[in-house]
Amino acid sequence: MYVCLCQGVTDGQIREAIYEGCCSYRDVRENLGVGTQCGKCACLAKQVVRDTLGEL
Ligand code: FES
């Protein structure tokens, strides 16, 4: 599912970025651009990052 519509970023891409080494929301944002436009997705994107980090 899309988390960030502005940048077209899915939850799968966020998970992938974390598996590849991102270890915070900030890392993910810098890598994928998620949350860098309207910012509406930030809350959900942070949640996905938290959940994924919690599974590692
Ligand atoms: Fe992510 Fe707008 S939906 S910045």
Short mmCIF file of all heavy atoms in Angstrom, two decimals:
data_model
loop_
_atom_site.label_atom_id
_atom_site.label_comp_id
_atom_site.label_asym_id
_atom_site.label_seq_id
_atom_site.Cartn_x
_atom_site.Cartn_y
_atom_site.Cartn_z
N MET A 1 0.84 -1.20 0.00
CA MET A 1 0.00 0.00 0.00
C MET A 1 0.88 1.25 0.00
O MET A 1 2.01 1.22 0.49
CB MET A 1 -0.90 -0.03 1.24
CG MET A 1 -0.41 0.83 2.40
SD MET A 1 -1.21 0.46 3.95
CE MET A 1 0.13 0.88 5.06
N TYR A 2 0.31 2.32 -0.56
CA TYR A 2 1.07 3.57 -0.57
C TYR A 2 1.01 4.24 0.80
O TYR A 2 -0.05 4.39 1.37
CB TYR A 2 0.51 4.53 -1.62
CG TYR A 2 1.05 4.24 -2.99
CD1 TYR A 2 0.25 3.60 -3.93
CD2 TYR A 2 2.35 4.58 -3.32
CE1 TYR A 2 0.76 3.30 -5.19
CE2 TYR A 2 2.86 4.29 -4.58
CZ TYR A 2 2.06 3.64 -5.51
OH TYR A 2 2.56 3.35 -6.73
N VAL A 3 2.16 4.63 1.29
CA VAL A 3 2.23 5.38 2.54
C VAL A 3 2.30 6.87 2.18
O VAL A 3 1.59 7.69 2.72
CB VAL A 3 3.46 4.97 3.36
CG1 VAL A 3 3.67 5.92 4.53
CG2 VAL A 3 3.29 3.54 3.86
N CYS A 4 3.18 7.18 1.22
CA CYS A 4 3.38 8.57 0.81
C CYS A 4 2.94 8.73 -0.64
O CYS A 4 3.59 8.23 -1.55
CB CYS A 4 4.86 8.93 0.96
SG CYS A 4 5.25 10.60 0.43
N LEU A 5 1.82 9.41 -0.83
CA LEU A 5 1.30 9.60 -2.19
C LEU A 5 2.12 10.62 -2.96
O LEU A 5 2.33 10.49 -4.16
CB LEU A 5 -0.16 10.04 -2.14
CG LEU A 5 -1.16 8.95 -1.72
CD1 LEU A 5 -2.56 9.53 -1.63
CD2 LEU A 5 -1.13 7.77 -2.68
N CYS A 6 2.59 11.65 -2.28
CA CYS A 6 3.37 12.69 -2.96
C CYS A 6 4.60 12.11 -3.65
O CYS A 6 4.92 12.47 -4.77
CB CYS A 6 3.81 13.77 -1.98
SG CYS A 6 2.45 14.72 -1.29
N GLN A 7 5.28 11.20 -2.95
CA GLN A 7 6.52 10.64 -3.49
C GLN A 7 6.31 9.22 -4.03
O GLN A 7 7.26 8.61 -4.53
CB GLN A 7 7.61 10.61 -2.40
CG GLN A 7 7.96 11.97 -1.84
CD GLN A 7 8.73 12.82 -2.84
OE1 GLN A 7 9.27 12.34 -3.80
NE2 GLN A 7 8.76 14.12 -2.59
N GLY A 8 5.10 8.71 -3.93
CA GLY A 8 4.82 7.37 -4.42
C GLY A 8 5.63 6.30 -3.69
O GLY A 8 6.20 5.41 -4.32
N VAL A 9 5.66 6.39 -2.37
CA VAL A 9 6.44 5.42 -1.58
C VAL A 9 5.49 4.46 -0.87
O VAL A 9 4.53 4.88 -0.22
CB VAL A 9 7.32 6.15 -0.53
CG1 VAL A 9 8.09 5.15 0.32
CG2 VAL A 9 8.28 7.10 -1.23
N THR A 10 5.78 3.17 -1.00
CA THR A 10 4.94 2.15 -0.38
C THR A 10 5.55 1.67 0.95
O THR A 10 6.73 1.90 1.21
CB THR A 10 4.81 0.92 -1.29
OG1 THR A 10 6.11 0.34 -1.46
CG2 THR A 10 4.26 1.31 -2.66
N ASP A 11 4.73 0.98 1.73
CA ASP A 11 5.26 0.42 2.98
C ASP A 11 6.34 -0.61 2.67
O ASP A 11 7.32 -0.73 3.41
CB ASP A 11 4.14 -0.16 3.86
CG ASP A 11 3.37 -1.29 3.19
OD1 ASP A 11 3.33 -1.33 1.95
OD2 ASP A 11 2.82 -2.12 3.91
N GLY A 12 6.18 -1.32 1.55
CA GLY A 12 7.20 -2.31 1.16
C GLY A 12 8.55 -1.65 0.93
O GLY A 12 9.59 -2.19 1.31
N GLN A 13 8.53 -0.48 0.30
CA GLN A 13 9.79 0.25 0.05
C GLN A 13 10.43 0.71 1.35
O GLN A 13 11.65 0.71 1.49
CB GLN A 13 9.54 1.45 -0.85
CG GLN A 13 9.34 1.08 -2.31
CD GLN A 13 8.91 2.31 -3.10
OE1 GLN A 13 7.76 2.70 -3.05
NE2 GLN A 13 9.84 2.92 -3.81
N ILE A 14 9.60 1.12 2.29
CA ILE A 14 10.12 1.55 3.59
C ILE A 14 10.77 0.37 4.30
O ILE A 14 11.89 0.46 4.82
CB ILE A 14 9.01 2.17 4.45
CG1 ILE A 14 8.52 3.48 3.81
CG2 ILE A 14 9.51 2.43 5.89
CD1 ILE A 14 7.35 4.13 4.52
N ARG A 15 10.09 -0.78 4.29
CA ARG A 15 10.67 -1.98 4.91
C ARG A 15 11.99 -2.35 4.25
O ARG A 15 12.97 -2.66 4.93
CB ARG A 15 9.70 -3.17 4.78
CG ARG A 15 8.54 -3.08 5.71
CD ARG A 15 7.54 -4.21 5.49
NE ARG A 15 6.24 -3.80 5.91
CZ ARG A 15 5.84 -3.77 7.18
NH1 ARG A 15 6.66 -4.16 8.14
NH2 ARG A 15 4.64 -3.35 7.50
N GLU A 16 11.98 -2.31 2.93
CA GLU A 16 13.19 -2.65 2.16
C GLU A 16 14.35 -1.74 2.57
O GLU A 16 15.47 -2.20 2.77
CB GLU A 16 12.85 -2.45 0.67
CG GLU A 16 13.81 -3.10 -0.28
CD GLU A 16 13.81 -4.62 -0.19
OE1 GLU A 16 12.78 -5.22 0.18
OE2 GLU A 16 14.86 -5.18 -0.47
N ALA A 17 14.06 -0.44 2.70
CA ALA A 17 15.10 0.53 3.06
C ALA A 17 15.68 0.20 4.43
O ALA A 17 16.89 0.34 4.66
CB ALA A 17 14.53 1.95 3.05
N ILE A 18 14.83 -0.27 5.33
CA ILE A 18 15.30 -0.62 6.68
C ILE A 18 16.14 -1.89 6.63
O ILE A 18 17.21 -1.97 7.24
CB ILE A 18 14.12 -0.73 7.65
CG1 ILE A 18 13.56 0.67 7.90
CG2 ILE A 18 14.55 -1.40 8.96
CD1 ILE A 18 12.26 0.72 8.63
N TYR A 19 15.70 -2.87 5.84
CA TYR A 19 16.49 -4.10 5.70
C TYR A 19 17.85 -3.78 5.10
O TYR A 19 18.83 -4.46 5.37
CB TYR A 19 15.76 -5.14 4.83
CG TYR A 19 14.44 -5.62 5.39
CD1 TYR A 19 13.38 -5.94 4.56
CD2 TYR A 19 14.26 -5.74 6.78
CE1 TYR A 19 12.17 -6.37 5.07
CE2 TYR A 19 13.05 -6.17 7.29
CZ TYR A 19 12.01 -6.48 6.44
OH TYR A 19 10.81 -6.90 6.94
N GLU A 20 17.89 -2.74 4.29
CA GLU A 20 19.16 -2.39 3.65
C GLU A 20 20.01 -1.44 4.48
O GLU A 20 21.04 -0.96 4.02
CB GLU A 20 18.89 -1.80 2.26
CG GLU A 20 18.50 -2.89 1.28
CD GLU A 20 18.01 -2.36 -0.05
OE1 GLU A 20 17.99 -1.13 -0.24
OE2 GLU A 20 17.62 -3.20 -0.89
N GLY A 21 19.57 -1.12 5.68
CA GLY A 21 20.44 -0.35 6.56
C GLY A 21 19.89 0.90 7.20
O GLY A 21 20.52 1.45 8.10
N CYS A 22 18.74 1.41 6.74
CA CYS A 22 18.19 2.58 7.40
C CYS A 22 17.77 2.19 8.81
O CYS A 22 17.20 1.12 9.01
CB CYS A 22 16.95 3.09 6.65
SG CYS A 22 17.35 3.87 5.10
N CYS A 23 18.07 3.05 9.78
CA CYS A 23 17.71 2.65 11.14
C CYS A 23 16.90 3.71 11.86
O CYS A 23 16.78 3.70 13.08
CB CYS A 23 18.95 2.28 11.93
SG CYS A 23 20.16 3.57 11.96
N SER A 24 16.33 4.64 11.11
CA SER A 24 15.45 5.64 11.73
C SER A 24 14.53 6.23 10.66
O SER A 24 14.78 6.06 9.46
CB SER A 24 16.28 6.77 12.33
OG SER A 24 16.95 7.48 11.30
N TYR A 25 13.50 6.93 11.13
CA TYR A 25 12.59 7.59 10.19
C TYR A 25 13.37 8.62 9.36
O TYR A 25 13.16 8.75 8.16
CB TYR A 25 11.45 8.28 10.95
CG TYR A 25 10.62 9.17 10.07
CD1 TYR A 25 9.84 8.62 9.05
CD2 TYR A 25 10.63 10.54 10.24
CE1 TYR A 25 9.08 9.43 8.22
CE2 TYR A 25 9.87 11.36 9.41
CZ TYR A 25 9.10 10.80 8.40
OH TYR A 25 8.37 11.60 7.58
N ARG A 26 14.32 9.27 10.01
CA ARG A 26 15.10 10.28 9.29
C ARG A 26 15.89 9.66 8.14
O ARG A 26 15.93 10.21 7.04
CB ARG A 26 16.03 11.00 10.25
CG ARG A 26 16.82 12.10 9.55
CD ARG A 26 17.97 12.58 10.36
NE ARG A 26 17.53 13.46 11.43
CZ ARG A 26 18.37 14.02 12.29
NH1 ARG A 26 19.66 13.79 12.22
NH2 ARG A 26 17.91 14.81 13.23
N ASP A 27 16.51 8.51 8.40
CA ASP A 27 17.24 7.80 7.34
C ASP A 27 16.33 7.47 6.17
O ASP A 27 16.68 7.64 5.01
CB ASP A 27 17.79 6.46 7.86
CG ASP A 27 19.08 6.63 8.65
OD1 ASP A 27 19.60 7.75 8.70
OD2 ASP A 27 19.55 5.61 9.20
N VAL A 28 15.14 6.95 6.51
CA VAL A 28 14.19 6.54 5.48
C VAL A 28 13.74 7.76 4.67
O VAL A 28 13.66 7.72 3.45
CB VAL A 28 12.97 5.84 6.13
CG1 VAL A 28 11.86 5.61 5.12
CG2 VAL A 28 13.40 4.51 6.74
N ARG A 29 13.50 8.84 5.37
CA ARG A 29 13.06 10.07 4.70
C ARG A 29 14.14 10.56 3.74
O ARG A 29 13.86 10.94 2.61
CB ARG A 29 12.75 11.14 5.74
CG ARG A 29 12.02 12.34 5.17
CD ARG A 29 11.78 13.39 6.21
NE ARG A 29 13.04 13.81 6.79
CZ ARG A 29 13.15 14.50 7.92
NH1 ARG A 29 12.09 14.82 8.60
NH2 ARG A 29 14.33 14.85 8.37
N GLU A 30 15.38 10.53 4.20
CA GLU A 30 16.47 11.00 3.33
C GLU A 30 16.67 10.09 2.13
O GLU A 30 17.01 10.54 1.05
CB GLU A 30 17.77 11.11 4.15
CG GLU A 30 17.76 12.37 5.00
CD GLU A 30 18.89 12.43 6.02
OE1 GLU A 30 19.77 11.56 5.98
OE2 GLU A 30 18.87 13.36 6.84
N ASN A 31 16.45 8.79 2.32
CA ASN A 31 16.65 7.83 1.23
C ASN A 31 15.50 7.80 0.23
O ASN A 31 15.74 7.69 -0.96
CB ASN A 31 16.85 6.43 1.80
CG ASN A 31 18.30 6.15 2.09
OD1 ASN A 31 18.99 5.66 1.21
ND2 ASN A 31 18.76 6.50 3.27
N LEU A 32 14.28 7.84 0.73
CA LEU A 32 13.12 7.65 -0.15
C LEU A 32 12.36 8.94 -0.44
O LEU A 32 11.52 8.97 -1.33
CB LEU A 32 12.15 6.63 0.47
CG LEU A 32 12.71 5.23 0.74
CD1 LEU A 32 11.65 4.37 1.40
CD2 LEU A 32 13.16 4.58 -0.56
N GLY A 33 12.62 9.98 0.34
CA GLY A 33 11.90 11.23 0.13
C GLY A 33 10.52 11.24 0.77
O GLY A 33 9.75 12.17 0.61
N VAL A 34 10.21 10.16 1.51
CA VAL A 34 8.90 10.06 2.15
C VAL A 34 8.70 11.22 3.15
O VAL A 34 9.61 11.57 3.89
CB VAL A 34 8.76 8.67 2.84
CG1 VAL A 34 9.76 8.48 3.94
CG2 VAL A 34 7.36 8.47 3.38
N GLY A 35 7.54 11.84 3.07
CA GLY A 35 7.24 12.92 4.01
C GLY A 35 7.88 14.25 3.70
O GLY A 35 7.85 15.15 4.54
N THR A 36 8.45 14.39 2.52
CA THR A 36 9.16 15.64 2.24
C THR A 36 8.31 16.68 1.51
O THR A 36 8.78 17.77 1.24
CB THR A 36 10.43 15.38 1.41
OG1 THR A 36 10.07 14.65 0.24
CG2 THR A 36 11.45 14.58 2.21
N GLN A 37 7.05 16.31 1.19
CA GLN A 37 6.21 17.33 0.53
C GLN A 37 5.10 17.82 1.44
O GLN A 37 5.32 18.74 2.22
CB GLN A 37 5.69 16.79 -0.79
CG GLN A 37 6.77 16.87 -1.86
CD GLN A 37 6.25 16.56 -3.24
OE1 GLN A 37 5.15 16.96 -3.59
NE2 GLN A 37 7.04 15.84 -4.02
N CYS A 38 3.92 17.20 1.38
CA CYS A 38 2.83 17.73 2.22
C CYS A 38 2.99 17.34 3.69
O CYS A 38 2.45 17.99 4.57
CB CYS A 38 1.48 17.25 1.69
SG CYS A 38 1.15 15.51 2.04
N GLY A 39 3.71 16.24 3.94
CA GLY A 39 3.96 15.82 5.32
C GLY A 39 2.83 15.02 5.96
O GLY A 39 2.96 14.56 7.09
N LYS A 40 1.73 14.81 5.24
CA LYS A 40 0.59 14.09 5.82
C LYS A 40 0.91 12.64 6.15
O LYS A 40 0.25 12.02 6.96
CB LYS A 40 -0.59 14.12 4.84
CG LYS A 40 -1.39 15.38 4.90
CD LYS A 40 -2.63 15.24 4.02
CE LYS A 40 -3.25 16.60 3.75
NZ LYS A 40 -3.86 16.66 2.44
N CYS A 41 1.88 12.10 5.45
CA CYS A 41 2.20 10.68 5.62
C CYS A 41 3.15 10.44 6.78
O CYS A 41 3.42 9.29 7.12
CB CYS A 41 2.85 10.17 4.34
SG CYS A 41 4.34 11.09 3.94
N ALA A 42 3.68 11.48 7.37
CA ALA A 42 4.75 11.32 8.37
C ALA A 42 4.36 10.38 9.50
O ALA A 42 5.14 9.51 9.90
CB ALA A 42 5.16 12.68 8.92
N CYS A 43 3.13 10.52 9.99
CA CYS A 43 2.71 9.72 11.13
C CYS A 43 2.70 8.24 10.77
O CYS A 43 3.24 7.40 11.49
CB CYS A 43 1.32 10.19 11.56
SG CYS A 43 0.96 9.80 13.24
N LEU A 44 2.09 7.92 9.62
CA LEU A 44 2.02 6.53 9.18
C LEU A 44 3.41 5.99 8.83
O LEU A 44 3.75 4.86 9.18
CB LEU A 44 1.08 6.42 7.97
CG LEU A 44 0.91 5.02 7.36
CD1 LEU A 44 0.43 4.02 8.41
CD2 LEU A 44 -0.07 5.07 6.20
N ALA A 45 4.20 6.83 8.17
CA ALA A 45 5.55 6.39 7.79
C ALA A 45 6.37 6.07 9.04
O ALA A 45 7.07 5.06 9.09
CB ALA A 45 6.24 7.48 6.97
N LYS A 46 6.25 6.91 10.06
CA LYS A 46 6.98 6.65 11.32
C LYS A 46 6.53 5.34 11.93
O LYS A 46 7.33 4.58 12.47
CB LYS A 46 6.74 7.79 12.32
CG LYS A 46 7.59 9.00 12.01
CD LYS A 46 7.30 10.11 13.01
CE LYS A 46 7.90 11.41 12.51
NZ LYS A 46 7.39 12.59 13.21
N GLN A 47 5.22 5.10 11.86
CA GLN A 47 4.66 3.86 12.40
C GLN A 47 5.25 2.64 11.69
O GLN A 47 5.63 1.66 12.32
CB GLN A 47 3.13 3.90 12.21
CG GLN A 47 2.39 2.74 12.84
CD GLN A 47 2.41 2.84 14.35
OE1 GLN A 47 2.10 3.88 14.91
NE2 GLN A 47 2.80 1.76 15.00
N VAL A 48 5.31 2.71 10.36
CA VAL A 48 5.87 1.59 9.58
C VAL A 48 7.33 1.38 9.96
O VAL A 48 7.78 0.25 10.15
CB VAL A 48 5.73 1.84 8.06
CG1 VAL A 48 6.44 0.76 7.26
CG2 VAL A 48 4.26 1.90 7.65
N VAL A 49 8.07 2.47 10.12
CA VAL A 49 9.49 2.37 10.50
C VAL A 49 9.60 1.71 11.88
O VAL A 49 10.37 0.77 12.07
CB VAL A 49 10.16 3.76 10.52
CG1 VAL A 49 11.55 3.69 11.16
CG2 VAL A 49 10.25 4.33 9.11
N ARG A 50 8.80 2.18 12.81
CA ARG A 50 8.83 1.62 14.17
C ARG A 50 8.49 0.14 14.17
O ARG A 50 9.19 -0.67 14.77
CB ARG A 50 7.82 2.36 15.05
CG ARG A 50 8.45 3.28 16.07
CD ARG A 50 7.48 3.63 17.19
NE ARG A 50 6.18 4.07 16.70
CZ ARG A 50 5.88 5.34 16.44
NH1 ARG A 50 6.75 6.28 16.64
NH2 ARG A 50 4.68 5.66 16.00
N ASP A 51 7.41 -0.21 13.47
CA ASP A 51 6.99 -1.62 13.42
C ASP A 51 8.07 -2.49 12.81
O ASP A 51 8.35 -3.58 13.30
CB ASP A 51 5.71 -1.77 12.60
CG ASP A 51 4.50 -1.20 13.32
OD1 ASP A 51 4.64 -0.80 14.49
OD2 ASP A 51 3.42 -1.15 12.71
N THR A 52 8.67 -2.01 11.71
CA THR A 52 9.68 -2.81 11.02
C THR A 52 10.92 -2.97 11.89
O THR A 52 11.46 -4.07 12.01
CB THR A 52 10.05 -2.17 9.67
OG1 THR A 52 8.85 -1.93 8.94
CG2 THR A 52 10.96 -3.09 8.86
N LEU A 53 11.35 -1.89 12.52
CA LEU A 53 12.52 -1.98 13.40
C LEU A 53 12.23 -2.92 14.58
O LEU A 53 13.12 -3.66 15.00
CB LEU A 53 12.91 -0.59 13.93
CG LEU A 53 13.54 0.35 12.90
CD1 LEU A 53 13.70 1.74 13.50
CD2 LEU A 53 14.88 -0.18 12.42
N GLY A 54 10.99 -2.92 15.03
CA GLY A 54 10.60 -3.79 16.14
C GLY A 54 10.63 -5.26 15.78
O GLY A 54 10.73 -6.12 16.64
N GLU A 55 10.52 -5.55 14.47
CA GLU A 55 10.51 -6.95 14.02
C GLU A 55 11.91 -7.50 13.80
O GLU A 55 12.08 -8.70 13.64
CB GLU A 55 9.76 -7.05 12.66
CG GLU A 55 8.27 -6.86 12.77
CD GLU A 55 7.64 -6.55 11.41
OE1 GLU A 55 8.34 -6.65 10.39
OE2 GLU A 55 6.44 -6.23 11.39
N LEU A 56 12.90 -6.61 13.76
CA LEU A 56 14.26 -7.08 13.44
C LEU A 56 14.90 -7.80 14.62
O LEU A 56 14.59 -7.54 15.76
CB LEU A 56 15.14 -5.90 13.02
CG LEU A 56 14.72 -5.21 11.72
CD1 LEU A 56 15.67 -4.05 11.42
CD2 LEU A 56 14.72 -6.17 10.55
FE1 FES B 1 4.03 12.00 1.87
FE2 FES B 1 2.67 14.08 0.98
S1 FES B 1 1.97 12.06 1.28
S2 FES B 1 4.70 14.05 1.67
#
